[in-house]
Amino acid sequence: MTNDLREAMIGGIYDVAVDPSRLEELVTIWSDMFDGARGPLNFASPELVTHVERAAAILEKSQSLPSDTSKSPAQWTTAFRNAAFVVNGIGLVVASNEAAARKLQISPGSSLDALPLESEDVERLHTYLSAPQRARANNATLLMRSRSSDATVVLQITPTLNGHKDLTGVSTSFHVWPENLSALLASAFNLTVSETEVLKDLTFGYPVKEIAARRNRLETTVRTQVRRLLERTSTRNQVELVRMTMVLMDLAHTVDDNKPKPGTARRAAKQRDRSGLAETCSLKVGQGRKLEYLSIGAPDGDAFVMLPTDGGFTRLTESAETWISRQHLKMIVPIRAGYGNSDFAPAGENALRVLVEDIIAIADSLGIARCPILAFTDDFHTAVELAATEPNRFTAIVGVGAVMPASEPRHLKRMPAWTRFVIHNARFAPRTMPFVGLAIIGFVRSLGPRHFLESALGSSPADIQALQDVEVQAALLRGDNVALQSKSFHRAWAAWAVANYGEDWQHKLLACKVPITLFAGVQDPFSPIETVREFAERKPDLKLIEYADCGQLLYRHWPEFLGEIRQALLAEPC
């Protein structure tokens, strides 16, 4: 990787850490590099991975902040250790934290005009806050200038705070330097007291000339200290140096009000949803690990297993679920380890194997001796693994938008940039995957799940059209909310992605003895039809049903794929 490419990647990584809505830009940078590379890209280099892990720490910290809409504006500000405040529609501060009082000299009742920013930037902030809600980004990042120095100030804007259109939350890059941070930096990088003082001023945005004046030193002396800081921290420029310090600044705070206290157990949920079609159940597996699953349809109906993809879209459309109930069927949907309220898998274990064992444990607990599997997209691999493990129990596989093994370079090249980005990192740089998961979650939260889906499915006109269907939208959102309740979902997703994409499982697919039926959209960007057809030709007993007017989202064809499940159940011996 050339220096220019490396700089572009590192810059993109930290841009996403500060503003997850820029994930598309990072994927584009990566895709351009991947497409133009003559050989494999070394994303697993220790130096690059270090930057990714630092950026992940920033993302994880920012996304752990509470979003409880019952919190008052004052409670919202206390979630931040940097200066934060809440302002109303006419530009008056209604709440602020201690850091805002110390660093900004503002308190409830202060005007935005009191902010220590250049007057043009204060006016720009007024203009932004007075704009109609539809004209404002869900979560904006504004760059401004300090009035007292040349320092750059970053403002993160949260409009319609707690659902109040008149309230806007503002988190700033004005930080309070933790008492133990200087000692931490000195110990970690063997810095002198003087060097830590310079690093502190750099982090707060002061240019070298002003640092020299503040510290009563020669400008050449400060520049020499900056060079030593870069050498000792293995960073290449001041931007990397400051970003690294900001990560350590967050980590230096020892109090984390959002972290569950040791010994507190989550309440086991067992209730039906508003539709009356789905019940959330739980059981203990392994060494007391909690595992949740959904039971959808008739409580005493004939059971089948539905595997909902790594995105956790655990629900079908209401029409489909109503049909399941009326046909006296029961759809069992596992909430995999680390998703929703299911406990995490034991450390170090293969996440795919854990998922397979958990599904078998659910089947055992329900007395399911034989049943078919309905598998969506990436979970087709899980279905094949289940069939290989217990072929006498799992008697048929119905794959919907099933993703084939990306065994050859041509398979990967057919996929869109989003998918190649995830697969390449999972295979060759697995330590980057928690960051990728956090970035995707942050992207979804910043711009909304629909925008994310439109971005990921953008090459499929049929999928964009399917997203306009209100019932499909409801199914995606209901299922997504069930699966993604965990604050650390990204770690579970990362572990599963590494296990799923990290092996070439084509031999398992070709050797599978269980009947397989695949429903495939010709416009599917994630599972290119050319690859699906290739594997169908290599496995003559595989039944392939294509839809020329569909992509990945095949929800409206539920009568066909659920009909296939029903036929498989009817074929079971009494």
Side-chain angles (χ1 to χ4, degrees):
M1 185 187 303
T2 67
N3 286 337
D4 288 344
L5 293 178
R6 176 189 172 283
E7 290 292 337
M9 277 298 296
I10 292 175
I13 287 166
Y14 282 112
D15 286 340
V16 170
V18 174
D19 181 5
S21 68
R22 300 185 67 175
L23 179 58
E24 284 179 294
E25 297 174 23
L26 178 60
V27 172
T28 299
I29 292 170
W30 177 92
S31 179
D32 291 344
M33 291 165 52
F34 183 86
D35 292 340
R38 296 180 179 178
L41 295 173
N42 185 18
F43 289 128
S45 66
E47 186 182 15
L48 188 57
V49 169
T50 298
H51 286 290
V52 170
E53 290 177 338
R54 289 170 182 165
I58 297 174
L59 269 172
E60 188 163 18
K61 194 72 174 178
S62 65
Q63 293 189 25
S64 69
L65 297 173
S67 58
D68 185 355
T69 58
S70 67
K71 291 186 179 296
S72 68
Q75 289 173 316
W76 182 85
T77 65
T78 59
F80 298 87
R81 295 186 177 89
N82 49 305
F85 58 92
V86 176
V87 62
N88 64 16
I90 60 174
L92 291 179
V93 175
V94 299
S96 60
N97 61 8
E98 182 182 354
R102 291 172 58 185
K103 304 298 292 187
L104 306 178
Q105 286 77 51
I106 61 170
S107 59
S110 298
S111 168
L112 285 179
D113 297 330
L115 290 172
L117 303 173
E118 290 288 352
S119 57
E120 296 90 342
D121 288 332
V122 172
E123 183 61 32
R124 187 157 60 95
L125 182 58
H126 273 296
T127 301
Y128 174 85
L129 295 175
S130 61
Q133 178 59 34
R134 63 180 179 275
R136 292 192 263 162
N138 287 349
N139 288 281
T141 300
L142 303 180
L143 298 181
M144 299 191 170
R145 296 160 296 163
S146 171
R147 189 168 57 214
S148 60
S149 70
D150 293 331
T152 298
V153 182
V154 180
L155 273 61
Q156 298 278 5
I157 311 295
T158 304
T160 61
L161 184 69
N162 296 347
H164 296 287
K165 294 182 179 179
D166 192 48
L167 296 180
T168 300
V170 181
S171 168
T172 78
S173 59
F174 283 104
H175 287 267
V176 174
W177 191 263
E179 293 181 2
N180 60 337
L181 181 55
S182 294
L184 175 63
L185 289 166
S187 173
F189 302 108
N190 194 27
L191 304 183
T192 66
V193 172
S194 179
E195 287 167 347
T196 58
E197 290 174 350
V198 170
L199 181 52
K200 178 178 178 179
D201 285 346
L202 283 174
T203 302
F204 285 157
Y206 294 108
V208 169
K209 184 176 181 179
E210 189 163 344
I211 294 173
R214 285 168 54 84
R215 300 295 176 184
N216 194 25
R217 298 171 190 162
L218 294 174
E219 189 173 335
T220 53
T221 301
V222 174
R223 292 192 185 280
T224 299
Q225 291 175 314
V226 171
R227 285 196 296 271
R228 283 204 296 264
L229 286 169
L230 295 174
E231 292 172 1
R232 294 185 181 186
T233 59
S234 298
T235 51
R236 294 174 61 92
N237 52 52
Q238 290 183 34
V239 174
E240 288 185 18
L241 176 63
V242 169
R243 285 167 172 166
M244 179 212 69
T245 307
M246 291 182 69
V247 174
L248 293 176
M249 183 183 292
D250 278 340
L251 297 180
H253 291 286
T254 56
V255 178
D256 186 355
D257 297 333
N258 302 309
K259 189 174 182 179
K261 301 299 184 292
T264 57
R266 291 173 294 201
R267 183 184 302 172
K270 188 171 183 179
Q271 58 182 6
R272 289 212 164 251
D273 69 353
R274 292 181 181 179
S275 70
L277 296 170
E279 183 179 29
T280 304
C281 310
S282 65
L283 73 154
K284 296 291 185 179
V285 296
Q287 299 178 340
R289 182 166 55 87
K290 178 185 173 183
L291 177 65
E292 282 195 344
Y293 63 92
L294 300 181
S295 178
I296 300 173
D300 59 344
D302 294 330
F304 66 96
V305 172
M306 190 270 260
L307 304 179
T309 86
D310 64 333
F313 297 104
T314 52
R315 303 297 295 269
L316 301 181
T317 62
E318 192 164 344
S319 297
E321 292 180 358
T322 299
W323 182 88
I324 289 171
S325 182
R326 289 175 179 172
Q327 293 295 314
H328 202 68
L329 304 179
K330 178 171 62 177
M331 183 169 71
I332 303 300
V333 188
I335 309 297
R336 66 184 70 192
Y339 285 49
N341 288 318
S342 290
D343 290 337
F344 278 86
E349 294 197 16
N350 181 287
L352 180 59
R353 287 306 310 168
V354 169
L355 177 57
V356 166
E357 292 166 4
D358 285 349
I359 294 170
I360 291 172
I362 293 172
D364 286 340
S365 71
L366 296 175
I368 300 174
R370 293 172 65 82
C371 73
I373 301 170
L374 176 63
F376 282 81
T377 64
D378 302 90
D379 263 329
F380 180 55
H381 183 183
T382 308
V384 171
E385 193 76 28
L386 280 166
T389 304
E390 292 204 0
N392 293 326
R393 189 199 298 259
F394 301 105
T395 56
I397 297 173
V398 177
V400 180
V403 176
M404 300 293 105
S407 307
E408 305 292 339
R410 65 179 179 278
H411 299 154
L412 200 59
K413 287 182 178 180
R414 291 168 181 162
M415 293 177 167
W418 278 100
T419 309
R420 290 186 286 128
F421 177 72
V422 170
I423 293 177
H424 189 96
N425 281 279
R427 287 182 178 176
F428 304 114
R431 285 171 58 189
T432 68
M433 291 305 287
F435 167 77
V436 174
L438 278 167
I440 291 173
I441 293 171
F443 182 91
V444 173
R445 288 176 177 171
S446 296
L447 301 177
R450 181 168 174 175
H451 183 93
F452 170 71
L453 288 170
E454 288 176 347
S455 174
L457 298 167
S459 61
S460 170
D463 282 322
I464 298 302
Q465 183 177 358
L467 284 173
Q468 313 307 313
D469 188 308
V470 174
E471 200 173 20
V472 171
Q473 291 180 29
L476 292 171
L477 292 174
R478 282 189 306 161
D480 188 44
N481 288 337
V482 169
L484 306 188
Q485 292 169 11
S486 168
K487 290 183 179 180
S488 297
F489 152 80
H490 64 284
R491 296 192 181 279
W493 173 85
W496 186 88
V498 170
N500 181 44
Y501 298 123
E503 69 164 318
D504 181 2
W505 53 281
Q506 64 172 324
H507 63 284
K508 296 179 183 178
L509 171 58
L510 298 175
C512 185
K513 302 299 183 184
V514 169
I516 297 175
T517 301
L518 298 184
F519 291 84
V522 172
Q523 299 180 39
D524 190 337
F526 294 136
S527 185
I529 193 63
E530 296 88 352
T531 303
V532 178
R533 290 168 179 165
E534 179 181 320
F535 278 98
E537 290 176 3
R538 296 173 63 187
K539 187 172 175 60
D541 58 339
L542 186 152
K543 179 182 176 183
L544 175 59
I545 300 172
E546 298 183 15
Y547 297 99
D549 60 344
C550 291
Q552 174 79 185
L553 302 178
L554 292 164
Y555 285 87
R556 68 186 177 91
H557 287 287
W558 66 262
E560 291 98 312
F561 59 73
L562 286 180
E564 197 75 22
I565 288 288
R566 186 171 181 274
Q567 288 300 316
L569 285 167
L570 291 174
E572 293 295 330
C574 298

